[in-house]
Amino acid sequence: MTPVTAGDAVHLLPDGRALHLLPERAAWLPEAGLLLVADAHFGKGASFRRLGVPVPRGTTHANLARLDALVDRLTGVRELVFLGDFLHAASGRAPATLQALRAWRQRHARLDMTLVRGNHDDHAGDPPAELEVQVVDEPWLHAGLALCHDPATPRPDGCYALAGHLHPAARLGRGFDALRLPCFHARDDAVLVLPAFGEFTGGALVRPAAGDTLYLVAGEQVLAHPPSVGA
């Protein structure tokens, strides 16, 4: 089992298992060898450039480099699950993007990979077959969890859900001193929403309800907010 590093936070699941929340904007369940990311949106930059929007290049390579580093850092990763929105759009299937994905997949040929389809996957299509990514619909009941893209997806009673889709972010402070940080949103309705993994995805401000916990991604660490709740 991989120990918690100084930068990780721990969210306890209802069954007592420790879900590690990582500063790379991913979640790690050591007992199951399960690494989870949401909303990678591979090829989003290519999609925008095809529309004539001058956005930076290299976001797909940056995302894949972070996944490489995660798999190297964590001991015992056997399975990688994408919680929806693997590809951003059909127009993002640029040759360079697909080649980068193929090369990355070859580096991690031993890993089982699964995509839980999200709304962008409905339009972008499933990952190319050569990537060997199993594709399932939500909710996918796996490792004692309901794995979803949309946190509003119905699931069996008593089943804790992990989801994406909302790209949660939190604002700290006011005015010119305000900070906007991606966050994990642990909701009182038994759902944990992961931040978007993709570099070029933005974020929607969260309005936490009573009983919720936000885990803020602050540089190389994840911090529970309020500090006395959660980890």
Side-chain angles (χ1 to χ4, degrees), residues 99-136:
Q99 178 54 39
L101 287 168
R102 283 192 292 268
W104 171 80
R105 185 62 173 110
Q106 290 170 4
R107 292 197 296 274
H108 303 288
R110 65 179 179 81
L111 291 184
D112 293 331
M113 296 189 189
T114 301
L115 166 65
V116 181
R117 284 192 184 96
N119 56 305
H120 277 264
D121 301 302
D122 291 339
H123 302 287
D126 293 342
E130 62 265 29
L131 296 184
E132 298 183 352
V133 176
Q134 176 188 204
V135 181
V136 298

Side-chain angles (χ1 to χ4, degrees), residues 15-95:
D15 60 8
R17 290 181 296 173
L19 182 70
H20 297 207
L21 309 181
L22 311 177
E24 294 90 345
R25 304 196 295 277
W28 163 233
L29 189 59
E31 292 180 19
L34 180 61
L35 179 64
L36 304 111
V37 300
D39 301 286
H41 287 271
F42 294 123
K44 184 171 184 178
S47 296
F48 274 56
R49 286 191 294 274
R50 288 192 175 190
L51 295 173
V53 181
V55 298
R57 294 180 179 272
T59 53
T60 292
H61 285 86
N63 292 334
L64 294 176
R66 275 193 297 129
L67 276 177
D68 283 338
L70 268 174
V71 174
D72 289 343
R73 175 164 87 84
L74 301 171
T75 302
V77 178
R78 300 189 299 273
E79 184 176 9
L80 173 59
V81 173
F82 296 91
L83 298 177
D85 293 358
F86 182 83
L87 292 166
H88 178 70
S91 58
R93 292 174 175 262

Side-chain angles (χ1 to χ4, degrees), residues 141-167:
L141 305 184
H142 181 64
L145 298 164
L147 303 182
C148 308
H149 176 63
D150 188 340
T153 299
R155 63 189 188 278
D157 291 343
C159 196
Y160 196 87
L162 302 183
H165 184 50
L166 301 181
H167 302 201

